[in-house]
Amino acid sequence: MSTPARPSEASAAARGAIRAPRRPFPLLGAYVALVCLVLVLPLAVVLVISFDTASYINFPPQGFHLQWYRSLPDNATFARSFANSLIVAGASTALSVLAGVPAALAIARGRFRGRGLLYGLCLSSLTVPWIVYGVALLFVWGFLGLRLSIWTLIFGHTVIGAPYVLRTAVAVLRDMPAAYERGARSLGAGPLRAFLTVTLPLMAPGIRAGAAFAFIISFVNIPVSLFVTTAENITMPVAVFNYMQYNFDPSVAAFSILQLVVIGLFIGFAARAARQEA
Amino acid sequence: MALTGAGAAPAAAPAPVAPRGGARPRARTGLLAAPMAALMLAGFLLPGLLMFASSLGAGVRPFSLQGELSWAKYAELAGSAYLWRVLGFTLAVSAGVALVNAVLAYPVAIFLARSRSRLNRLCFLITFTPVAVGMNMVTMGWLIVLGRNGVINSLLSMAGLTSEPLPLVYGMSAVVIGLAHISFTFMVLPIEAVLRTIDPALERAARSLGASRWRTFVDVTLPLSWEGVAAGMLIVFMQSCGAFVIPLLLGGSGTVMLPVSIWETMTVANDRAGGAAIAVALTLIALAILAVQLKYFNPLRDGDGR
């Protein structure tokens, strides 16, 4: 900008620059395509290997069959961990919504001292690495004198999932004029009725997006579950993690693809919610 | 605080201050947060305190703590050359990943913020995949790509370029690749968000004054987007410091990072106090980064309405 360009260049640039250029930089598209390719490459190779007929990880694959998928239910650990993961993710998401949505109302709509501090407390579990929280969870369970069970995981995953629900719910409430609720109240609706018929439906897309996020966080989480896992409460990602440390064959790839399908369903759910919101 | 408008949205035009909720004091709304506050106190702060107590040598028993408290564990760890190396490696690798990712992600953020291509949405979806698919998937994928019989080594040997498989995995490069991949989303999003806020008129002005595209970028766009780059680098740095699965499975004995050493101490050495002490150290690193974030890029800035 500081060096004056020659007149011919300047006028040419001026002509070309009246509107923001459609392509800001040449080759940018090619670079972005390359990055996207690298980002999906590992997922694509896992998919390819999950159909391989070889009994060890090898590239290129030797053939195509669905045997690894068919035999997934025969692996007792895989079957149990899949069920556990659905239970833990489902229950912790439900609890996250039950705790997070009322808290969002308090934080976005309330007028009281220490609201910022309260918001900070409710988001506090986002501040430390998951593995640190995994260690801490082991100690609290000992302190409460409880045996490790699936409830340990539901509890821990709720603590890390609820802040995500809270944040999206607060964001939606902040964009939504409080006048709607006041209108309902002034027309005679009680607070609960105003919430159920006006506020909640308007918040629904944000809650759904937050819930889908909490579900995915739980469904793929390893570090929080790591120290409190037993043979009974083992979750899907922990089972895959354990398996990968000792043997690595296409069955674990097939199992991961199954996990990906479930995640894909929930992302579709969140994306639809986001579109409704827009 | 009493003067803030009833509408909570800070950006909204000052609405006429309507009569407040009437008989019901708004303060009572705060009780709605009680379950979540209780969850965080019992589920997060209490576990944190117990972890700290155990790192000081307390034995955690049901509803009681036993034993003398002392800093002995910390003194022992501070005297361990191995742990200092792990700490240095963790910080260095995380800084490297943040730097590499900033360079790699910036053009993608420009594309997402500026391109009106129909592929924009697809690209957006793909930049989200690393977060959504989980560590296992990314780790497994790179093991297959980089492994001895993996994609790269097979291609190289088929092309006749190598006779022996290259040792690509179980080392630092594989760890950096994995960490960069898993945190890519968190680098792109802050940069993209800042780029969107830059008034295109500024760039048009630079162009119409004769600056080339490149010069406009270097003198106008890039300086205006530093905040996003810095915010993204902090998040990526913090995430990499706390990463566990990738350094464990893609790395080897030479690439132990703090989270891996927590795991080794807890499970292999069966030393809970030691694991807790390293976890406390990692927490301090995370809180230091958080303090920088809150000071310069406060995510709650337009949040608490005060």
Side-chain angles (χ1 to χ4, degrees):
Chain A
M1 225 177 9
S2 48
T3 48
R6 270 166 288 160
S8 60
E9 265 181 37
S11 58
R15 256 182 282 124
I18 302 301
R19 297 181 151 261
R22 192 174 175 83
R23 291 208 193 105
F25 283 94
L27 293 180
L28 182 65
Y31 173 78
V32 171
L34 184 71
V35 169
C36 287
L37 214 62
V38 173
L39 287 176
V40 294
L41 174 73
L43 316 184
V45 293
V46 173
L47 183 67
V48 168
I49 288 299
S50 72
F51 297 117
D52 194 359
T53 46
S55 59
Y56 55 95
I57 301 283
N58 185 56
F59 200 88
Q62 325 246 294
F64 178 93
H65 69 177
L66 295 172
Q67 195 47 47
W68 298 115
Y69 287 92
R70 287 211 193 91
S71 57
L72 280 182
D74 303 336
N75 184 324
T77 309
F78 281 2
R80 160 160 278 188
S81 70
F82 184 62
N84 280 347
S85 268
L86 287 175
I87 294 170
V88 170
S92 66
T93 303
L95 290 173
S96 295
V97 170
L98 287 177
V101 172
L105 281 172
I107 284 157
R109 291 288 189 257
R111 290 279 166 274
F112 52 89
R113 228 169 224 294
R115 217 153 33 95
L117 191 69
L118 180 68
Y119 197 25
L121 170 70
C122 291
L123 296 179
S124 59
S125 65
L126 299 175
T127 55
V128 302
W130 281 336
I131 189 149
V132 170
Y133 184 60
V135 174
L137 189 59
L138 176 66
F139 289 119
V140 82
W141 225 249
F143 185 73
L144 297 175
L146 298 170
R147 277 169 48 99
L148 295 175
S149 69
I150 199 160
W151 290 103
T152 324
L153 294 178
I154 293 173
F155 179 78
H157 287 204
T158 305
V159 171
I160 58 164
Y164 292 97
V165 176
L166 176 69
R167 265 208 312 214
T168 53
V170 166
V172 178
L173 280 172
R174 291 228 162 101
D175 289 343
M176 191 174 102
Y180 294 155
E181 292 136 271
R182 282 204 304 273
R185 294 297 306 279
S186 71
L187 290 171
L192 188 65
R193 197 179 151 85
F195 172 72
L196 289 177
T197 56
V198 177
T199 320
L200 189 61
L202 288 168
M203 285 172 81
I207 297 173
R208 271 171 51 163
F213 210 66
F215 186 94
I216 293 166
I217 295 272
S218 164
F219 202 65
V220 302
N221 195 292
I222 299 167
V224 170
S225 317
L226 199 66
F227 299 107
V228 291
T229 292
T230 63
E232 283 82 46
N233 73 4
I234 188 164
T235 59
M236 191 172 192
V238 176
V240 171
F241 171 77
N242 288 342
Y243 199 85
M244 273 207 293
Q245 282 184 74
Y246 303 109
N247 37 7
F248 187 25
D249 64 37
S251 73
V252 73
F255 195 44
S256 297
I257 295 296
L258 179 65
Q259 186 185 31
L260 196 61
V261 169
V262 176
I263 294 166
L265 290 176
F266 273 83
I267 291 184
F269 180 72
R272 245 186 40 222
R275 259 206 302 284
Q276 281 174 10
E277 200 174 359
Chain B
M1 239 187 300
L3 289 176
T4 22
V17 180
R20 298 272 173 72
R24 205 169 67 110
R26 304 274 304 227
R28 244 199 292 162
T29 324
L31 289 178
L32 288 172
M36 180 132 183
L39 177 72
M40 287 302 170
L41 286 172
F44 186 72
L45 290 186
L46 174 66
L49 288 174
L50 290 171
M51 186 179 82
F52 183 55
S54 338
S55 75
L56 295 176
V60 174
R61 302 280 174 276
F63 300 100
S64 67
L65 294 175
Q66 289 172 351
E68 296 274 301
L69 300 186
S70 82
W71 295 96
K73 208 40 137 180
Y74 289 90
E76 184 191 321
L77 295 176
S80 155
Y82 171 74
L83 207 62
W84 283 109
R85 220 175 50 233
V86 168
L87 174 68
F89 184 78
T90 305
L91 297 177
V93 164
S94 303
V97 169
L99 209 62
V100 166
N101 239 354
V103 175
L104 289 176
Y106 199 99
V108 178
I110 291 192
F111 179 83
L112 286 175
R114 296 290 160 79
S115 163
R116 281 170 282 155
S117 156
R118 265 174 302 148
L119 294 174
N120 199 312
R121 273 188 71 130
L122 178 67
C123 179
F124 209 73
L125 202 69
I126 290 175
T127 54
F128 262 102
T129 51
V131 197
V133 300
M135 304 282 176
N136 277 332
M137 194 66 152
V138 170
T139 308
M140 199 181 297
W142 284 110
L143 279 174
I144 300 171
V145 172
L146 303 172
R148 262 184 82 82
N149 303 317
V151 178
I152 291 178
N153 274 321
S154 327
L155 291 177
L156 286 176
S157 83
M158 271 192 283
L161 292 171
T162 53
S163 49
E164 280 286 294
L166 298 175
L168 299 170
V169 81
Y170 308 125
M172 192 167 85
S173 52
V175 173
V176 170
I177 291 173
L179 290 176
H181 187 162
I182 205 80
S183 59
F184 190 77
T185 320
F186 296 101
M187 184 58 90
V188 171
L189 293 184
I191 303 178
E192 189 250 9
V194 168
L195 284 173
R196 270 184 203 282
T197 63
I198 297 175
D199 187 350
L202 292 171
E203 287 163 14
R204 281 204 297 270
R207 293 296 306 278
S208 71
L209 290 169
S212 65
R213 281 177 171 179
W214 179 247
R215 205 169 167 87
T216 306
F217 172 72
V218 171
D219 284 341
V220 180
T221 317
L222 192 59
L224 288 173
S225 59
W226 277 134
E227 189 180 332
V229 176
M233 284 178 72
L234 271 180
I235 301 173
V236 170
F237 181 78
M238 182 154 154
Q239 282 207 329
S240 302
C241 283
F244 164 68
V245 177
I246 283 172
L248 186 77
L249 293 182
L250 286 179
S253 54
T255 62
V256 173
M257 292 173 72
L258 277 179
V260 178
S261 74
I262 294 176
W263 186 73
E264 284 179 343
T265 311
M266 296 279 289
T267 60
V268 183
N270 203 14
D271 175 6
R272 286 192 175 189
I278 306 174
V280 169
L282 185 54
T283 306
L284 292 179
I285 295 174
L287 292 180
I289 302 168
L290 182 74
V292 177
Q293 277 177 327
L294 289 176
K295 185 156 184 319
Y296 294 102
F297 322 96
N298 190 349
L300 307 178
R301 189 162 37 199
D302 51 0
D304 54 19
R306 294 208 271 172

